Amino acid sequence: MNKVVQNAIEAIRGIESQMTLMLGGFGLCGIPENCIAALAATDITGLTCISNNAGIDGFGLGMLLRRHQIEKMISSYVGENKEFERQLLSRELEVELIPQGTLAERIRAGGAGIPAFYVPAGYGTEVAEGKPVRQFGDKMYLEEQWLKADFSIVKAWKGDTNGNLIYRYVANNFNHAMAMAGKITIAEVEELVPVGALEPNHIHTPGVFVQRIFQGQNYEKRIEFATTRD
Amino acid sequence: MALDKNGIAKRIAQELRDGYYVNLGIGIPTLVANYVPPGMQIILQSENGLLGIGPFPAKNEIDPDLINAGKQTITALPGAAFFDSSMSFAMIRGGHIDLTVLGAFEVSETGDIASWKIPGKLVKGMGGAMDLVASARNIIVAMMHTNPQGESKLLKKCTLPLTGVGVVKKIVSDLAVLDVTPQGFKLLERAPGVSVEDILNATEGNLIIEGDIPEMLI
């Protein structure tokens, strides 16, 4: 078994135009910075990107938006990005908005082999349009379907060469579920360690879900809203 | 006098009970954390993956891996737990969160809420709001009773795209505390110095007034 690749350029090999990608992160927290930068250096276009947010101008997925590499975003919240707004208004970019919990569960279901399930979120709203509804008890629910990706790209704090991953604080967010839902899952980690160096009780994402792993470098970890009490 | 944002937050804090797990939305709801009664333990959830939100960090404590759902830097209290987004919404959807407090553009007398989209303005998305309103055991809406033009935001029927249908249980506005009942908005309390007539004039939906309506104790 050899999952280790040398860098982001090697990791994204096989990603082609028109593919569907999942990219972990919430805002700029826990995003796969190295792979996004590597994608932004390619001529790949027409991507469908499943990601909770769309980055900011010039950073995170904003880097791919600026180069018109994204055709469609599937997200729950897409503020904080002027270029995104411009492309949306000019119809260069298609956006599908999904309630955040439904998005997380559709991704988890994709990884867990569950084609459809019912949730109450969005019942009676425009999110429900075209979806089967069903009553359980005295409450109405919407049928939602799994999401899968050609490649999932996630970011973890520590990983071992078997692909076992540990996240730091809230930088986990969508990374764990997305790692499960990619046909090929790429993990970039701040610290890549040998097998046996991670405590098995502490693993968040078991290595079975990860096909490629590498130690990233030069993490910027930008902060959107630095807020202090002093 | 009508309450300001902090007054609304103060009144909502009176709804907290020891041991509650609470999700506070962005805006006025966030201010509720400043008025938790002394000695009461409330555990705040952030839907991006944290139970046990602490105060904002000191400058030298800022950590980019520790933010709230509004993407502000925060801290985690001793006893906090981190988890992934699907787990976070399992807590919400599964009814494990005792109270959700969030803002709204409009609420209808049947408990419908509109809070995420204004046609003609740029749509940013619903984030976790639809999941929260559809599933929380108890939802309090923190809002201004009228818009800046003086038009009621407590309506017979919402005019804006909905976030949820028949989900709001209680409203704390700058003018009043109201329950949403099958018959309409039931007036429970008035803001200090605000008359029942003021509230009636500011409410388009059906307002139920039974007996003497006490002033809020803030």
Side-chain angles (χ1 to χ4, degrees):
Chain A
M1 174 161 46
N2 187 16
K3 298 185 177 184
V4 179
V5 294
Q6 286 316 302
N7 52 39
I9 295 167
E10 199 181 323
I12 64 166
R13 209 164 277 167
I15 296 181
E16 294 168 9
S17 295
Q18 307 304 320
M19 278 187 170
T20 296
L21 308 182
M22 288 184 185
L23 298 112
F26 184 98
L28 301 178
C29 178
I31 60 171
E33 292 183 20
N34 282 213
C35 284
I36 292 171
L39 283 167
T42 69
D43 293 325
I44 296 165
T45 59
L47 292 171
T48 294
C49 291
I50 303 171
S51 177
N52 188 55
N53 314 92
I56 61 170
D57 285 297
F59 195 64
L61 287 181
M63 295 169 79
L64 304 186
L65 283 167
R66 188 167 58 188
R67 300 190 64 248
H68 296 85
Q69 292 177 279
I70 302 175
E71 188 172 287
K72 182 176 181 183
M73 283 297 312
I74 299 177
S75 303
S76 85
Y77 190 83
V78 291
E80 349 291 1
N81 191 326
K82 288 210 167 52
E83 176 61 14
F84 182 95
E85 294 178 12
R86 196 196 60 73
Q87 291 186 24
L88 184 61
L89 293 170
S90 64
R91 297 174 191 251
E92 294 163 66
L93 180 69
E94 191 190 338
V95 178
E96 185 180 346
L97 293 168
I98 299 177
Q100 194 176 134
T102 298
L103 178 63
E105 193 62 16
R106 287 179 67 182
I107 294 165
R108 199 196 73 82
I114 300 170
F117 56 92
Y118 288 88
V119 293
Y123 173 75
T125 76
E126 63 185 53
V127 164
E129 282 166 23
K131 290 175 184 162
V133 296
R134 191 169 157 186
Q135 184 168 351
F136 294 90
D138 56 0
K139 199 164 166 172
M140 298 302 292
Y141 295 79
L142 294 184
E143 184 188 292
E144 295 283 0
Q145 296 188 7
W146 61 10
L147 284 171
K148 298 185 186 203
D150 296 305
F151 281 82
S152 277
I153 307 176
V154 303
K155 151 83 195 326
W157 179 27
K158 294 178 183 180
D160 70 19
T161 54
N162 275 0
N164 293 306
L165 303 178
I166 296 176
Y167 307 96
R168 185 168 176 272
Y169 301 157
V170 296
N172 181 341
N173 54 66
F174 280 81
N175 283 296
H176 172 69
M178 286 183 175
M180 297 168 63
K183 277 182 210 154
I184 295 175
T185 291
I186 301 164
E188 56 174 87
V189 298
E190 289 177 54
E191 196 182 335
L192 183 63
V193 298
V195 162
L198 298 180
E199 163 59 49
N201 282 305
H202 294 170
I203 303 293
H204 292 125
T205 301
V208 67
F209 295 113
V210 175
Q211 282 70 48
R212 301 177 190 175
I213 189 166
F214 70 98
Q215 179 160 322
Q217 50 188 348
N218 303 324
Y219 282 102
E220 281 189 51
K221 293 198 182 185
R222 286 198 206 172
I223 293 173
E224 276 181 80
F225 305 111
T227 313
T228 59
R229 61 172 176 259
D230 39 45
Chain B
M1 225 185 76
L3 300 177
D4 63 6
K5 290 178 177 183
N6 282 297
I8 295 174
K10 248 184 189 171
R11 177 59 191 81
I12 290 173
Q14 293 174 16
E15 303 292 314
L16 300 172
R17 297 293 176 266
D18 191 46
Y20 263 18
Y21 287 87
V22 179
N23 184 293
L24 300 176
I26 294 164
I28 301 174
T30 305
L31 300 173
V32 174
N34 298 336
Y35 301 105
V36 177
M40 186 183 283
Q41 195 194 5
I42 298 296
I43 296 179
L44 297 176
Q45 195 228 24
S46 192
E47 62 264 28
N48 56 321
L50 166 61
L51 273 177
I53 303 175
F56 289 123
K59 231 176 212 147
N60 61 357
E61 289 175 337
I62 282 190
D63 189 319
D65 291 336
L66 196 38
I67 61 170
N68 63 19
K71 293 149 194 156
Q72 296 170 306
T73 47
I74 48 164
T75 58
L77 293 174
F82 298 108
F83 36 84
D84 84 288
S85 297
S86 66
M87 173 72 86
S88 182
F89 282 92
M91 288 172 200
I92 292 166
R93 202 184 301 106
H96 307 280
I97 301 297
D98 296 295
L99 175 65
T100 288
V101 183
L102 76 177
F105 301 144
E106 297 174 345
V107 174
S108 82
E109 62 187 30
T110 55
D112 297 352
I113 174 171
S115 66
W116 74 283
K117 182 175 180 179
I118 298 177
K121 285 199 180 173
L122 194 90
V123 180
K124 293 190 169 183
M126 65 292 279
M130 285 194 182
D131 312 272
L132 282 158
V133 301
S135 297
R137 285 214 302 271
N138 193 10
I139 297 171
I140 300 178
V141 171
M143 66 192 295
M144 293 297 165
H145 216 99
T146 57
N147 66 19
Q149 289 74 47
E151 297 161 335
S152 181
K153 294 165 70 168
L154 278 68
L155 306 171
K156 288 190 187 310
K157 202 170 181 303
C158 293
T159 63
L160 296 169
L162 296 178
T163 309
V165 174
V167 294
V168 177
K169 309 275 196 297
K170 191 176 248 87
I171 298 166
V172 177
S173 78
D174 53 333
L175 303 182
V177 180
L178 312 102
D179 269 348
V180 179
T181 72
Q183 290 74 41
F185 299 114
K186 185 166 196 285
L187 183 58
L188 301 179
E189 298 173 23
R190 299 172 286 121
V194 171
S195 71
V196 170
E197 201 184 346
D198 294 335
I199 296 163
L200 198 53
N201 287 337
T203 308
E204 190 225 74
N206 188 36
L207 187 69
I208 302 159
I209 304 157
E210 286 175 4
D212 279 346
I213 307 297
E215 268 192 12
M216 296 179 205
L217 298 170
I218 293 284

